[in-house]
């Protein structure tokens, strides 16, 4: 298995990316070959400094970097030798099986949509976040930001994408799908959720358990929680801020600490043809290492193949 | 000042309502006359049991109760001698200055809209919740549930309603208004927030500070946070569940404990002609006492008068 890593993406790159490789190599049993995409000279110096010598590390030179605040489409087009553009070419050519980056999110999406493309039948790819449950279990929430406005059919597709992700990557058999809503009964909700409910009910590919409310997000009622990208993004960012609050206030609680973005690593783009993981701009070594592990699981489980199969007309 | 209290509303009524009177009388310095609406015989027995003898307590007999799961409009119409219907008649007649209930929310809204009515110029009344800030400050979030689907003009009005509430009831001078959104820059968001931003920017009656994100909800960036009722309801219920999680896990943290619904008491219906406070179904003595205090503040500050003035064409 070959995984491409944008070494230049994120606020603390390439240093934290390099340390992330170190963490990964010293803690993981699996052995993917890691294609480290970035400035060769800079990376060689850092690899030497951190004594990173491994046959599993391959440097792929990229002379440019797309900065965090650059216009995504423009930068992706113009900076053809940027680590993100090189990463996507490497992925499209099949030299790597997955690509991860903590760099410019917009540029990652441009690459995902235009270089790798959506899977046939998937109208709107989505990004999924894990949500820690009070019980210790892990839930999946999507969409958390790609699609601020959704149609009922989009949410219905998210349910299937999320179910496959929960099963393939988190080992949740027959994941329970809940529609995030403002009431439990069918018929409750805004125009979008009211129209989505019947589609989910008819969807034979998922295990729909009905509406869930805000109070159920951290409980075990549903494994896969479906919402539009506006609602999901606000929930995700609220949850992340709770970790900050807990840390700042020295709350030594395992549940609160599971909101730590570092442990999450990154979020996959679900519904595009190959595994792509987008990391937080502030990703540190732990986050990079966890992103590699997530990409590994996505490749090993063949989630993209399963999505392709399920969305065949 | 006279405040009407539905003694029969809520899962633990009338007992917790009676205990709430006791809490209020023994802790509050202010002295509203409390019109206790409910079954006279039952209340007299409980008042005797809890040694509640006070010239500020007036029992108003109501022979019926609207149950929590009854159809709101039907029950309000048919049960004319229910504590909620009697409460609204007492309020409409001017015998009390505010009315609070932890009973059937739907029936409370029917009463608010049809017996008291929206203030001229207010297209959609809203309910507002307090949001504890990490700093210890208090924020206001609205709408938290009345309007699952909103138009830009509704959100623009919520901004003014919330600003007046923050000022009159929480003493926040020139409250900072933030539009809850998925990005900071103007132009970000879903169709609704994109169209709302320019209205807020032009609104001379508020102190608009721009978009806020999910991560800002618990921070001091904005005092008044504006969103549609779908988003607000999910945030509110999530926040309430965090208190449950903190309590269950014995997290002894003051911030987390401020999510306790008891301390919140109830939520006002903003934009109707008289002060109305709706409590949680599971309201206990503390919650009832705090609802009385909230109603008192709404009456004393003349918030409804200020809303009427501000919405005059």
């Amino acid at each position: 298995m070959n995984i491409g890593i944008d070494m230049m993406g994120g606020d603390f790159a390439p240093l934290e990316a390099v340390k992330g490789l170190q963490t990964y190599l010293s803690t993981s049993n699996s052995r993917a070959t890691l294609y480290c995409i970035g400035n060769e000279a800079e990376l060689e110096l850092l690899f030497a400094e951190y004594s990173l010598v491994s046959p599993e590390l391959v440097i792929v030179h990229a002379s440019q970097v797309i900065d965090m605040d650059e216009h995504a489409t423009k930068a992706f087009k113009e900076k053809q030798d940027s680590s993100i553009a090189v990463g996507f070419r490497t992925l499209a050519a099949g030299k790597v099986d997955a690509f991860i980056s903590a760099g410019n999110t917009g540029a990652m999406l441009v690459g995902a949509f235009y270089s790798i493309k959506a899977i046939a039948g998937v109208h709107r790819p989505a990004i999924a976040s894990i949500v820690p449950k009070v019980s210790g279990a892990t839930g999946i929430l999507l969409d958390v930001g790609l699609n601020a406005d959704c149609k009922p059919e989009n949410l219905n597709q998210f349910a299937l994408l999320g179910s496959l992700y929960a099963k393939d990557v988190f080992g949740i058999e027959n994941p329970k799908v809940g529609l995030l809503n403002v009431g439990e009964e069918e018929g409750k909700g805004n125009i979008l959720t009211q129209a989505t409910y019947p589609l989910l009910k008819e969807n034979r590919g998922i295990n729909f358990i009905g509406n869930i409310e805000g109070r159920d997000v951290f409980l075990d009622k549903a494994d896969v929680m479906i919402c539009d990208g506006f609602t999901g993004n606000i929930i995700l960012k609220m949850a992340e801020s709770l970790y900050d609050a807990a840390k700042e206030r020295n709350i030594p609680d395992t549940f609160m600490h599971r909101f730590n973005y570092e442990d999450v690593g990154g979020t996959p783009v679900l519904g595009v043809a190959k595994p792509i993981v987008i990391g937080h701009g502030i990703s540190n070594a732990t986050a990079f290492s966890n992103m590699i592990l997530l990409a590994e699981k996505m490749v090993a489980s063949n989630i993209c193949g399963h999505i392709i199969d399920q969305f065949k007309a």
Side-chain angles (χ1 to χ4, degrees), chain A residues 147-258:
Chain A
N147 309 284
D149 290 289
C150 288
K151 292 175 182 166
E153 184 50 43
N154 303 143
L155 265 60
N156 192 30
Q157 292 200 339
F158 297 165
L160 184 51
L161 291 173
S163 294
L164 292 168
Y165 183 57
K167 195 179 166 191
D168 281 352
V169 173
F170 295 93
I172 304 169
E173 284 301 319
N174 200 25
K176 292 173 287 182
V177 174
L179 176 63
L180 195 58
N181 209 334
V182 294
E184 287 190 337
E185 305 85 5
E186 182 170 358
K188 292 270 183 179
N190 57 11
I191 293 171
L192 174 64
T193 55
Q194 283 176 1
T196 302
Y197 193 104
L199 300 182
L200 293 171
K201 215 164 106 176
E202 294 299 315
N203 188 335
R204 298 272 164 253
I206 61 165
N207 175 19
F208 181 52
I209 56 109
N211 289 325
I212 59 166
E213 297 185 73
R215 65 170 61 94
D216 304 314
V217 168
F218 303 123
L219 303 181
D220 290 339
K221 205 160 165 189
D223 302 303
V224 176
M225 300 175 283
I226 303 303
C227 61
D228 63 86
F230 182 88
T231 308
N233 179 276
I234 286 170
I235 289 177
L236 175 64
K237 288 182 181 164
M238 256 181 72
E240 285 182 352
S241 79
L242 285 171
Y243 166 70
D244 294 333
K247 199 168 73 171
E248 192 182 304
R249 300 175 70 81
N250 292 312
I251 300 178
D253 186 77
T254 48
F255 168 61
M256 295 297 290
H257 281 257
R258 289 182 65 219

Side-chain angles (χ1 to χ4, degrees), chain A residues 4-48:
Chain A
I5 303 160
D6 170 13
M7 299 299 289
M8 313 307 281
D11 299 339
F12 310 116
L15 181 60
E16 290 296 327
V18 170
K19 288 187 184 169
L21 296 179
Q22 200 179 36
T23 304
Y24 169 81
L25 290 171
S26 62
T27 55
S28 168
N29 291 319
S30 50
R31 274 296 168 269
T33 301
L34 305 177
Y35 283 71
C36 306
I37 303 158
N39 185 293
E40 190 167 20
E42 207 176 334
L43 290 177
E44 278 176 350
L45 272 175
L46 279 167
F47 281 16

Side-chain angles (χ1 to χ4, degrees), chain A residues 66-140:
Chain A
I66 296 178
D67 292 325
M68 296 304 267
D69 51 1
E70 278 192 83
H71 186 278
T73 317
K74 193 165 168 287
F76 190 86
K77 200 173 162 186
E78 289 176 3
K79 291 188 166 175
Q80 277 296 306
D81 202 39
S82 64
S83 51
I84 289 181
V86 171
F88 275 107
R89 278 206 301 278
T90 315
L91 182 62
K95 277 187 225 161
V96 294
D97 306 300
F99 179 49
I100 73 179
S101 172
N104 186 307
T105 302
M108 283 298 288
L109 294 174
V110 170
F113 292 159
Y114 296 98
S115 162
I116 301 304
K117 293 190 172 67
I119 287 166
V122 176
H123 299 142
R124 304 283 287 266
I127 52 180
S129 172
I130 72 148
V131 172
K133 302 283 194 173
V134 177
S135 67
T138 295
I140 307 294

